[in-house]
Amino acid sequence: MNNQVQIFDTTLRDGEQVPGCQLNTDDKVTIAKGLDALGVDVIEAGFPISSPGDFKSVVEITKAVKRPTICALSRAIQKDIERAAEALKYAENPRIHTGIGTSEEHIYLKLKSNPEAIIERAVEAVKYAKSFVNDVEFYAEDAGRTDNEYLARVCEAVVKAGATVLNIPDTTGYCLPEIYGAKIEYLVNHVPNIDKAILSTHCHNDLGLATANAIAGVQHGARQIECTINGIGERAGNTSLEEVVMIMNQHKLGVQTNIDTTKLTGISHLVSDLMHMNVQPNKAIVGANAFAHSSGIHQDGVIKNRITYEIMDPLEVGCDASSIVLTARSGRAALRYRLQKLGFNYSHQEITHLYNDFLILADKIKRVEDENLMALVDASSLASLKTN
Ligand code: KIV
Ligand code: ZN
């Protein structure tokens, strides 16, 4: 099996479905250029039928960004597919992403239909999309809760109709990693024409398992991951791009991506700024605390050797450096380290002399910054020992 995992970024489509997020066309083009520089293989630029603004954004992205595949979403409805094709008119590498619900919940409760009629609609949609572009991705919405045997029949039929990529979304974020991985493996083994398509993961984070599920999918044969910067998206969000990429880098899973990991922090900040959505400080890889150490035991280790408490070099993900944060949990080693950075080179005895005052201050103000440290030194009898 091929060891290249395609990174399909849907920040501008599923990510943009976050309540309160309003990106204008210029913002979207700026993000698309950033994603291009990051090395993503596919950018899902929008859902053109949904609004004139979204249509325009897809068009402008296809004009501005030429290397990655640009993908437009549609339902399994002719006018959606036509609008997607129209929006992709200028794309160098266009892809239409069409699909329909395949779980019993979707077939009976939402679509008021039946399983056989759904397969017919799916096939018609793929054939119609194929009349506009070569590259057609099919999504089996709510595949996470879809019976595997039926899902395999849907997949076989749409691949026969020309689908190049099979998206297996865990739309509701329901699956456990072993269930999602087994689903992908089942499709690898039971869809007779599976060699003609790539299996793609698309996992939502309702139970906090979106990243784990995407990785389980790859371990069982998926070769495309759909994900978003900072894991943003509908409800609890999607698989986070930076997490899956760094997991595949850290663990030798026998697969690789085209992502330039040194651009991860920059694109995270760009998306957060343009969307006016803060990244939670403890967010893996790109959160403000991802490389910050505040307890005395950890700080002592990191000061001696970074790898005692860090599995990645912050530079690898484009973060300047690890930080030693001073709080009331910090030890003398951290206090000395931070004072050295400010030019104060104190002996163990002198640090001990300052330490009690430091703890009293830290209990009061919680986080001790450089200016607080300077004031602490100035107020002590050690001020004259500054070394530079
Ligand atoms: O979560 C989902 O099922 C989707 C599809 C539209 C691909 O976002
Ligand atoms: Zn989704």
Side-chain angles (χ1 to χ4, degrees):
M1 188 176 284
N2 159 6
N3 65 0
Q4 189 70 25
V5 174
Q6 305 282 307
I7 296 295
F8 174 117
D9 182 276
T10 183
T11 305
L12 297 174
R13 198 281 296 169
D14 217 331
E16 204 252 8
Q17 290 173 210
V18 159
C21 151
Q22 272 146 16
L23 292 174
N24 62 34
T25 296
D26 287 346
D27 296 337
K28 289 186 183 179
V29 170
T30 303
I31 291 175
K33 286 181 177 167
L35 293 170
D36 182 11
L38 181 69
V40 306
D41 302 285
V42 185
I43 295 175
E44 186 162 50
F47 182 16
I49 192 90
S50 66
S51 76
D54 216 39
F55 177 88
K56 181 171 169 235
S57 297
V58 176
V59 173
E60 293 309 319
I61 289 169
T62 62
K63 289 181 182 168
V65 177
K66 295 295 178 185
R67 181 197 53 82
T69 294
I70 307 295
C71 177
L73 186 76
S74 74
R75 292 165 295 181
I77 294 176
Q78 284 206 349
K79 65 177 185 340
D80 278 38
I81 295 171
E82 286 159 12
R83 199 75 176 135
E86 206 186 326
L88 292 170
K89 190 164 65 183
Y90 300 103
E92 205 83 43
N93 304 298
R95 176 183 294 178
I96 294 179
H97 189 190
T98 189
I100 196 161
T102 53
S103 65
E104 294 201 348
E105 290 82 348
H106 279 231
I107 294 176
Y108 296 112
L109 303 177
K110 185 176 97 166
L111 301 161
K112 315 278 185 212
S113 184
N114 65 71
E116 297 315 312
I118 291 299
I119 295 187
E120 271 174 41
R121 276 187 67 181
V123 166
E124 283 316 305
V126 170
K127 283 189 179 159
Y128 195 53
K130 206 70 187 176
S131 71
F132 296 101
V133 294
N134 260 334
D135 191 2
V136 174
E137 173 166 341
F138 175 80
Y139 63 87
E141 195 177 6
D142 204 15
R145 291 188 296 174
T146 299
D147 169 66
N148 285 348
E149 210 180 309
Y150 175 65
L151 187 59
R153 286 213 289 128
V154 175
C155 289
E156 182 181 355
V158 295
V159 172
K160 201 165 154 212
T164 46
V165 181
L166 290 171
N167 179 8
I168 311 302
D170 183 20
T171 306
T172 57
Y174 169 73
C175 289
L176 288 170
E178 56 263 43
I179 292 175
Y180 191 75
K183 188 175 284 289
I184 297 292
E185 189 172 316
Y186 183 91
L187 297 174
V188 169
N189 294 326
H190 291 86
V191 177
N193 48 5
I194 197 68
D195 57 308
K196 298 195 170 52
I198 294 176
L199 279 163
S200 180
T201 71
H202 179 114
C203 301
H204 279 268
N205 205 31
D206 300 66
L207 292 174
L209 290 170
T211 292
N213 283 341
I215 294 295
V218 165
Q219 289 178 301
H220 289 87
R223 284 296 174 265
Q224 177 177 281
I225 297 180
E226 307 193 4
C227 46
T228 60
I229 301 295
N230 301 331
I232 58 167
E234 188 90 26
R235 304 184 311 281
N238 290 60
T239 298
S240 139
L241 183 148
E242 55 278 5
E243 291 174 15
V244 285
V245 166
M246 289 315 291
I247 289 169
M248 289 187 280
N249 266 25
Q250 288 288 306
H251 291 275
K252 303 298 166 223
L253 301 183
V255 290
Q256 62 191 40
T257 71
N258 289 323
I259 298 299
D260 175 356
T261 62
T262 63
K263 297 205 158 65
L264 289 173
T265 301
I267 189 97
S268 162
H269 291 168
L270 177 74
V271 169
S272 159
D273 290 349
L274 292 178
M275 286 198 169
H276 304 289
M277 286 193 62
N278 290 335
V279 176
Q280 72 199 63
N282 61 326
K283 170 79 182 60
I285 321 290
V286 293
N289 293 346
F291 296 97
H293 305 275
S294 75
S295 89
I297 296 172
H298 291 207
Q299 290 174 331
D300 182 46
V302 170
I303 290 166
K304 287 174 178 146
N305 191 327
R306 191 187 57 73
I307 68 166
T308 52
Y309 287 94
E310 281 181 359
I311 56 165
M312 296 167 260
D313 185 336
L315 294 175
E316 231 184 296
V317 301
C319 172
D320 286 348
S322 327
S323 56
I324 298 292
V325 179
L326 290 181
T327 69
R329 302 296 148 258
S330 300
R332 290 170 180 78
L335 180 59
R336 175 193 279 141
Y337 174 85
R338 284 281 300 272
L339 284 167
Q340 268 170 355
K341 297 249 161 226
L342 292 173
F344 300 100
N345 224 341
Y346 293 143
S347 67
H348 180 72
Q349 208 182 1
E350 288 157 345
I351 291 292
T352 302
H353 177 79
L354 268 184
Y355 190 62
N356 275 348
D357 287 345
F358 162 76
L359 284 183
I360 291 164
L361 178 69
D363 265 337
K364 201 157 82 191
I365 67 172
K366 306 301 173 203
R367 185 167 168 150
V368 179
E369 305 292 357
D370 284 351
E371 58 273 22
N372 310 120
L373 274 185
M374 301 287 280
L376 195 73
V377 170
D378 281 346
S380 78
S381 53
L382 301 173
S384 59
L385 294 177
K386 187 174 187 302
T387 55
N388 65 4

